[in-house]
Structures are given as structure tokens and as C-alpha cells.
Amino acid sequence: MNLQGKKIILGVTGSIAAYKSALLIRLLVKEGADVQVVMTQAATEFITPLTLATLSKRQVLTSFVNESTHLWNNHVDLGLWADAIIIAPATAKTLSRLASGHADDLLTTIYLSARCPIFFAPAMDVDMFLHPSTVNNIKTLLSYGNHLIAPEHGELASGLVGDGRLAEPETIVYRLRKFFAFRQVAQGKRVLITAGPTAEPIDPVRYISNRSSGKMGYAIANAFAMAGAQVTLVSGPTSIKVSDTDISVIHIQTAQQMFEATESHFEGSDLVIFSAAVADYTSEQVASQKIKKQGSAMVLNLKKTTDIAGTLGSEKKPGQLLIGFALETEKELEYAIDKMQRKNLDYIILNSLNDAGAGFAHDTNKISVIDTNKEVTHFTMKSKDEVAQDILDIVLNKWSEV
């Protein structure tokens, strides 16, 4: 079992859904996990610490100082002890405190001290879950590399029907088992990712570029690093920072620099994801001084840049996986399949500028994934961090088949 011997902190917060924590603990213990329950004071109003202590076979922690022994519950030691932290149910208040780093109780200080994967399973009424502040807090937590176990649709304690019901304990355990199984698959895999735009100079002041922000590539890099892979990110100019310091980042400016950096790491990579928006053309000559405005028009002679995915695709080794991106405005599927075949890719990820909220600069994306059999998997509009998790799942499923 993938959870055998895993040390898991279960954070329980003040929601009516806290009653499900009892079953969740039983399932985790049955899987062979060592479960330490940490409750907020509000959670103790919904289910007793005695109940959860009996099921977990450990004293439940609710404060910084143990009331019976008067010893300090060391949040740093607890954060380092855990192989995973699950916060279920996670209330809107808890999500807000976690997202802002507001550490005023034992659970939130453990969260800030932890180095392990963290999963949060929201539970609240539908309007609270859909409120922009909650949506932004979830986006923030995902951007930190945390994992969302999405709430389910159904009847809520208020009597309303909608999204917000805590995921069933069986679903939460399944997600954990899948994560640790995938982590074993990804461990030691070498992943090379390109991200962001390139900037092709015209003179010392001006350059040719595009609207790519790099958000998608950086989200993918973070997802694979969190899964245990060795990630090298070749990044064009962007203001984004990686959230995982284990990611090796190579900063470049031009398409030629990106090609050279990618080529130098290509042979040793198990997976290469070409998510950068590389300029197709660059200036034939770069002026050494700023070009002055003269006359009513200016002619700029351009030459093609190296086709990075196409060139390296022709050098693909057996067992190597290559994934490309296609951003289209017309004949999307036709052009994407053609690009995948020409460049010898295993998958092509298609997004369209015709989908509002997808493509450059947005925090969200809507993708379709096409494989070499021309089978298409469509995904709904999601945050780019969630899209990165979908891409991770596709790759890890593929690796698991080998």
C-alpha cells in the first residue's frame, strides 16, 4: 500500500463536515499510515478530540501547549515530521489564513513550517466557495505548490445545492495513494521545460517579442518538481519566480540562446515540454546604436529562428517523451496534429485564443491534449496550476505503463 508507514498530519477545522474526519482517519490507519490529528478550537465544537484520538491512537493536538503535560507542541518538529499534511475540512477562514501566512494557531504554524506536500479539501456553502476572495485564496495556495482536493457538488448543510461539500474520505485517500504512487514513478526522472517568450533585439533599446507571460511553463515546472522529478527550466524574460528552489532555472533572452540551452540538456532528459512561445523570426542585423526615426516607413529584414521542437524532435531517443504546445486561432485541431507529426512529438497541448480566459497572460487556461493516435482529451477552463496537474497526471500515467 502506498500509504504504509507514511506520517500524515490531518488538520481539522471548524466545519459541520468535521464529522467525516472520523472515517478519514479510519481509512488512513487501515492503509498503514501514522496519523497525527491537529484541530482548531472551532473544530472541537463539531467533533470531540477524544473521538479522533481514539481512532488515530494518538493524542489530538489543539494548542501550542499540551494541557495535561504542560509541554510545548513544537510546530517546527511537527512540520518536519510529516510526509504529508491534509487539511480536511478546510473552511473559508482557514484558506484565507493559509494563503496570507496568518499563523496564529498550531495548525497554521505547522503549515508554514512544513516541507512536505500539503493537501487542502475545502468545505463550505456554495456562495462562500464561489466568492472571489475564496477563489483567489485557492489560486494563491495552488501557486505555492499545494494540492487541491476539490469539493463535490450536492446538497449542503444550508439546504442549498451546489459546489462546496467536502470530498468523501474515500476520495481523499485515493488522491493521497495516487500522489505517493506517482511520486515513486517521477522520482529521479529528468524533466526539461521551456517557458516564457523570447526577446529578439533590433537595437540596444528595441526588440521583437510576444505576449507570453511564462505562467504555464512555470506552473508545469512546479508541478513536476513537487512530484519528485529533477526539473530544468529554460526561461525567457519573465517576472515570475519558481516556488520550488530545487528547480534549476536557466535564464535566456533570444531564441538562439533558448535553443542552445535546451539542446545542451536534451540528451539526458526523460521528458521535454516545449511550452515557451519562441519567436519564429529574428532581425538579420542588430544595430549597435538606437535606430532614429526617419522618413514615413522603416523596413526590417527578418530571418527564421531555429525550430527548437522540430530540431530536437528529429533527435528523439527511444523512451524519451516530447510534449509541445499549439496556440491557434483557426483550424485548431488540424494545425495542432500537423505540428505534432512534423516535430515528432508524443503529445500536443492545444489552446485557442478563441476561448476567453485561455492563452497568454491569463491565470487560467483551457486545453485539449492530443496523442499520436489522434485521440483528443478535452479539459474545462482551470487555473494554470490545475492545468499543470492535469499534464503531470498524463505523463505519470504514461510512465506507469512502461
Side-chain angles (χ1 to χ4, degrees):
M1 292 186 288
N2 296 320
L3 299 183
Q4 183 69 43
K6 298 297 183 187
K7 299 185 287 293
I8 294 176
I9 289 177
L10 173 61
V12 183
T13 69
S15 163
I16 185 63
Y19 77 90
K20 291 186 179 181
S21 302
L23 178 55
L24 177 56
I25 293 168
R26 290 200 61 168
L27 292 175
L28 290 170
V29 171
K30 187 176 180 180
E31 289 282 328
D34 186 1
V35 182
Q36 174 62 68
V37 179
V38 178
M39 301 179 71
T40 64
Q41 286 298 325
T44 64
E45 300 292 327
F46 292 94
I47 189 168
T48 67
L50 176 60
T51 299
L52 303 189
T54 303
L55 294 171
S56 65
K57 300 178 176 61
R58 275 178 168 268
Q59 183 176 8
V60 170
L61 306 180
T62 59
S63 61
F64 290 104
V65 179
N66 187 303
E67 294 181 0
S68 58
T69 65
H70 301 291
L71 296 176
W72 179 38
N73 292 320
N74 190 321
H75 60 280
V76 175
D77 288 347
L78 287 163
L80 297 178
W81 171 82
D83 293 309
I85 295 175
I86 315 164
I87 302 175
T91 61
K93 178 181 178 181
T94 299
L95 295 177
S96 176
R97 290 159 67 222
L98 296 175
S100 64
H102 188 182
D104 59 353
D105 64 7
L106 183 59
L107 180 58
T108 49
T109 52
I110 290 172
Y111 164 77
L112 288 182
S113 303
R115 297 180 182 176
C116 63
I118 295 172
F119 299 79
F120 60 98
M124 64 199 72
D125 206 67
V126 57
D127 296 307
M128 296 176 69
F129 179 67
L130 298 177
H131 194 280
S133 61
T134 304
V135 172
N136 286 332
N137 287 332
I138 290 174
K139 285 181 181 178
T140 298
L141 289 170
L142 288 171
S143 73
Y144 295 159
N146 300 312
H147 302 269
L148 169 67
I149 301 178
E152 298 177 357
H153 183 91
E155 185 175 353
L156 305 169
S158 65
L160 297 175
V161 175
D163 294 333
R165 189 168 69 180
L166 178 67
E168 292 302 318
E170 293 84 356
T171 301
I172 295 172
V173 172
Y174 171 77
R175 281 288 307 275
L176 283 175
R177 291 180 64 189
K178 183 178 178 182
F179 174 83
F180 281 109
F182 274 177
R183 193 170 180 85
Q184 292 170 8
V185 172
Q187 202 78 39
K189 292 288 188 181
R190 292 162 296 183
V191 177
L192 176 62
I193 300 167
T194 66
T198 60
E200 308 302 317
I202 299 171
D203 62 21
V205 176
R206 304 175 181 89
Y207 58 86
I208 302 169
S209 190
N210 56 62
R211 293 186 174 89
S212 173
S213 65
K215 291 178 180 178
M216 192 70 256
Y218 274 69
I220 296 169
N222 288 329
F224 275 90
M226 282 294 293
Q230 299 174 21
V231 178
T232 298
L233 177 66
V234 181
S235 173
T238 177
S239 61
I240 305 174
K241 306 293 183 184
V242 292
S243 60
D244 192 317
T245 55
D246 289 333
I247 297 172
S248 175
V249 184
I250 301 172
H251 294 283
I252 58 87
Q253 293 289 321
T254 67
Q256 183 60 29
Q257 291 170 350
M258 179 168 281
F259 169 67
E260 293 170 359
T262 307
E263 183 183 41
S264 67
H265 289 80
F266 178 78
E267 185 176 356
S269 298
D270 300 295
L271 167 69
V272 184
I273 301 179
F274 302 102
S275 64
V278 185
D280 293 321
Y281 294 89
T282 188
S283 181
E284 282 189 350
Q285 292 186 337
V286 179
S288 60
Q289 302 295 328
K290 178 183 176 182
I291 300 172
K292 296 297 183 181
K293 183 165 61 175
Q294 296 178 347
S296 60
M298 184 183 82
V299 176
L300 184 64
N301 293 319
L302 303 176
K303 61 180 180 181
K304 276 189 176 182
T305 59
T306 301
D307 182 344
I308 299 175
T311 301
L312 298 180
S314 66
E315 302 172 7
K316 183 171 69 171
K317 301 180 302 180
Q320 215 172 20
L321 279 181
L322 304 188
I323 299 177
F325 274 71
L327 178 64
E328 304 293 346
T329 58
E330 60 176 344
K331 299 182 180 178
E332 290 98 337
L333 191 59
E334 177 185 337
Y335 288 161
I337 292 173
D338 175 67
K339 182 176 182 179
M340 176 179 64
Q341 293 173 336
R342 282 189 293 106
K343 302 185 185 230
N344 197 25
L345 305 175
D346 297 282
Y347 296 94
I348 190 84
I349 297 172
L350 170 65
N351 41 56
S352 171
L353 285 180
N354 294 320
D355 293 320
F360 291 152
H362 296 289
D363 291 326
T364 54
N365 204 0
K366 182 180 179 181
I367 66 168
S368 298
V369 179
I370 309 157
D371 64 19
T372 51
N373 295 321
K374 300 182 182 180
E375 293 186 3
V376 184
T377 303
H378 298 288
F379 293 87
T380 59
M381 185 76 70
K382 300 180 180 182
S383 74
K384 287 186 174 176
D385 294 297
E386 291 175 290
V387 172
Q389 289 295 322
D390 290 332
I391 295 169
L392 174 67
D393 286 352
I394 289 169
V395 172
L396 294 181
N397 276 319
K398 182 69 175 178
W399 279 340
S400 298
E401 295 172 0
V402 178

